[in-house]
């Protein structure tokens, strides 16, 4: 146990020193203040950036410089970054596909995403200093689309917490208020996006891992359906867990960017990169909005859909703020001629119990077997794992 603990401490110190050195070794331009040219780039949508690169009016290197600066500022405020790939990204930006649907756009990635030559330790000190041998399917697709990976973002160890902290990289805070969390498990990504250090990013979700941080940090996301985003070749703390399948999902600063990002990924035919993806091309006729803004007060009757709203899951009553936000969405949809109905599904609590049993069917042994002696874990996760390891007859008494 002592040797395991000492190895853990050495790995943490080495990884944090490595991250600090990579920041210090960056060219001086990344440490300069945000200039008017950078501010213009940071204020443009993904559609505008891609058009600028495709037309030759913008350079991918300039876009990377602006977002590299802002990402470092976000990290200084929130501790959101794990791998600083900006120096390598300079080469990737020069070589990117300038005609692709994401031409020249920097994209941030959750630490789980495998990039050749870079760690995907996901907070486990035992995996630090073990770079991935090749790009995962998603990164290959993004590169072919013209995107430029440049940073990876913080997560909780085991990926089963509503926060983003671990001994290896430390704790990520909310950019709006440092005493609060940015959420989890894709908390570093949400903090980076909310601060403006990225325009689009990728996270994963099993039980809220993109939705919680997006909600708490004030950015946009949607949990992808199974088979829509490539996911093979990445790191996970629970390999083989398919009872509640993890899905890679897009995150963005704006709703328009979220739509553009998702459409670009599907346009690249992800089923040709990952056998688990569905052969399901993008169909604009099934979507309410497009690249064009909808004029206030105009009708969307030709695109009429029926929307369901779950006001209360019967377990935890929504806060007044959350209920108000739902009501705002309902009012807007109805204003544009959409049909909105209340949902009364089968018991969400029963579904929650079943999903919990599937998620940690092994009592959490797989998730914690890589944790070294003295390595921290989230308090809530520890309690859940303790409950999962109890004899069945005790669990039945609790339920």
């Amino acid at each position: 146990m002592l040797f395991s603990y000492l190895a853990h401490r050495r790995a943490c110190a080495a990884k944090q020193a490595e991250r600090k050195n990579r920041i210090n070794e960056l060219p001086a331009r990344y440490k300069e203040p945000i200039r008017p040219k950078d501010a213009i780039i940071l204020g443009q949508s993904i559609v505008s950036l891609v058009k600028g690169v495709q037309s030759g009016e913008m350079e991918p290197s300039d876009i990377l410089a602006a977002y590299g600066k802002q990402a470092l500022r976000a990290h200084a405020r929130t501790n959101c970054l794990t791998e600083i790939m900006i120096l390598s990204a300079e080469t990737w930006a020069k070589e990117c596909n300038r005609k692709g649907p994401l031409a020249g756009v920097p994209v941030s990635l959750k630490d789980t995403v495998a990039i050749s030559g870079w760690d995907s330790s996901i907070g486990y000190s035992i995996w630090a200093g073990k770079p991935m041998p090749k790009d995962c399917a998603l990164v290959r697709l993004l590169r072919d689309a013209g995107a430029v990976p440049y940073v990876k973002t913080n997560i909780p160890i085991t990926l089963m917490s509503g926060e983003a902290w671990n001994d290896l990289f430390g704790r990520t805070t909310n950019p709006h208020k440092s005493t609060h969390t940015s959420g989890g498990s894709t908390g570093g990504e949400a903090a980076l996006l909310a601060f403006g250090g990225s325009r689009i990013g990728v996270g994963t979700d099993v039980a809220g891992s993109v939705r919680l941080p997006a909600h708490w940090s004030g950015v946009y996301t949607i949990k992808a359906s199974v088979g829509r985003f490539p996911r093979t070749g990445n790191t996970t703390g629970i390999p083989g867990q398919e009872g509640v399948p993890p899905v890679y999902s897009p995150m963005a600063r704006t709703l328009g960017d979220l739509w553009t990002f998702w459409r670009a990924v599907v346009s690249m035919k992800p089923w040709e990169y990952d056998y688990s993806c569905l052969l399901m091309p993008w169909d604009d006729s099934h979507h309410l909005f497009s690249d064009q803004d909808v004029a206030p007060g105009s009708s969307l009757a030709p695109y009429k859909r029926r929307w369901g709203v779950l006001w209360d899951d019967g377990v935890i009553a929504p806060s007044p703020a959350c209920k108000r936000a739902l009501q705002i969405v309902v009012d807007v949809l109805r204003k544009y001629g959409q049909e909105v109905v209340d949902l009364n599904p089968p018991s969400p609590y029963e579904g929650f119990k079943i999903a919990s049993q599937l998620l940690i069917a092994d009592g959490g042994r797989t998730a914690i077997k890589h944790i070294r002696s003295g390595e921290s874990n989230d308090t809530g996760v520890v309690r859940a794992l303790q409950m999962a390891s109890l004899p069945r007859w005790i669990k039945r008494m609790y339920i």
Side-chain angles (χ1 to χ4, degrees):
M1 292 181 65
L2 176 60
F3 291 118
S4 177
Y5 173 73
L6 293 175
H8 168 62
R9 299 312 304 169
R10 285 195 298 268
C12 290
K15 194 63 186 176
Q16 291 168 19
E18 177 188 76
R19 181 175 59 173
K20 183 177 180 180
N21 290 337
R22 283 176 176 160
I23 293 174
N24 291 337
E25 291 168 357
L26 289 171
R29 63 179 175 275
Y30 288 103
K31 298 158 190 178
E32 297 173 350
I34 298 295
R35 297 184 175 181
K37 179 181 178 180
D38 300 321
I40 291 173
I41 291 173
L42 294 173
Q44 294 193 44
S45 68
I46 297 301
V47 169
S48 297
L49 293 176
V50 170
K51 287 181 178 178
V53 172
Q54 290 177 341
S55 67
E57 296 177 1
M58 299 181 72
E59 283 296 319
S61 296
D62 293 335
I63 301 174
L64 174 64
Y67 276 100
K69 284 183 185 180
Q70 191 71 345
L72 294 177
R73 294 177 68 204
H75 179 66
R77 173 82 67 85
T78 66
N79 188 45
C80 58
L81 304 182
T82 57
E83 302 293 329
I84 315 292
M85 306 182 293
I86 296 173
L87 273 180
S88 296
E90 289 188 334
T91 300
W92 300 338
K94 293 175 183 177
E95 299 172 349
C96 75
N97 176 12
R98 297 185 179 222
K99 297 301 179 182
L102 293 173
V105 176
V107 58
S108 49
L109 303 166
K110 189 173 184 174
D111 196 63
T112 57
V113 179
I115 298 179
S116 178
W118 296 85
D119 285 0
S120 284
S121 60
I122 59 174
Y124 293 97
S125 69
I126 198 170
W127 288 346
K130 297 179 180 178
M132 303 301 289
K134 62 181 181 180
D135 289 345
C136 66
L138 176 60
V139 169
R140 296 199 307 272
L141 182 151
L142 291 173
R143 290 191 195 278
D144 289 349
V148 182
Y150 67 118
V151 291
K152 295 177 71 175
T153 53
N154 204 17
I155 37 67
I157 194 169
T158 74
L159 304 176
M160 292 194 294
S161 172
E163 300 186 57
W165 76 277
N166 53 77
D167 290 346
L168 199 60
F169 297 110
R171 183 182 300 276
T172 297
T173 58
N174 194 302
H176 303 291
K177 194 170 185 179
S178 61
T179 56
H180 289 58
T181 180
S182 59
S185 65
T186 319
E189 194 66 39
L192 179 66
L193 287 163
F195 192 90
S198 180
R199 193 96 199 170
I200 53 174
V202 176
T204 65
D205 198 307
V206 172
S209 285
V210 294
R211 291 164 288 168
L212 282 175
H215 178 49
W216 295 352
S217 298
V219 297
Y220 289 83
T221 191
I222 184 169
K223 180 184 179 182
S225 297
V226 174
R228 286 306 261 166
F229 256 63
R231 67 185 182 106
T232 58
N234 293 308
T235 309
T236 175
I238 318 179
Q241 192 289 112
E242 295 292 336
V244 187
V247 291
Y248 278 77
S249 301
M251 302 177 74
R253 278 182 58 76
T254 68
L255 182 60
D257 285 343
L258 184 70
W259 187 89
T260 302
F261 186 24
W262 194 316
R263 185 189 192 197
V265 169
V266 177
S267 75
M268 292 297 295
K269 301 179 180 179
W271 50 88
E272 295 184 358
Y273 294 81
D274 186 339
Y275 70 90
S276 71
C277 288
L278 301 174
L279 202 167
M280 187 184 297
W282 187 268
D283 186 350
D284 282 322
S285 68
H286 289 169
H287 293 265
L288 190 59
F289 303 114
S290 65
D291 292 2
Q292 306 300 318
D293 292 332
V294 179
S298 62
S299 173
L300 289 174
Y303 310 98
K304 188 171 182 177
R305 301 285 184 268
R306 176 179 291 178
W307 302 75
V309 180
L310 182 64
W311 294 99
D312 191 329
D313 63 6
V315 181
I316 300 175
S319 69
C322 289
K323 189 172 182 179
R324 184 171 64 250
L326 277 176
Q327 188 62 59
I328 290 172
V329 173
V330 168
D331 292 343
V332 170
L333 288 171
R334 285 176 173 160
K335 176 182 177 181
Y336 285 99
Q338 300 299 300
E339 182 182 0
V340 182
V341 297
D342 293 343
L343 290 180
N344 293 295
S347 172
Y349 182 59
E350 288 299 316
F352 174 74
K353 289 195 293 183
I354 294 170
S356 298
Q357 293 167 12
L358 291 170
L359 183 59
I360 48 176
D362 64 347
R365 293 183 182 88
T366 302
I368 64 174
K369 72 178 182 180
H370 300 294
I371 295 179
R372 283 169 160 163
S373 296
E375 191 163 10
S376 302
N377 196 353
D378 180 81
T379 303
V381 175
V382 169
R383 290 177 179 173
L385 295 178
Q386 288 173 342
M387 181 65 191
S389 64
L390 292 174
R392 188 182 299 272
W393 65 271
I394 296 180
K395 294 178 187 176
R396 292 192 180 278
M397 289 176 60
Y398 175 78
I399 293 174

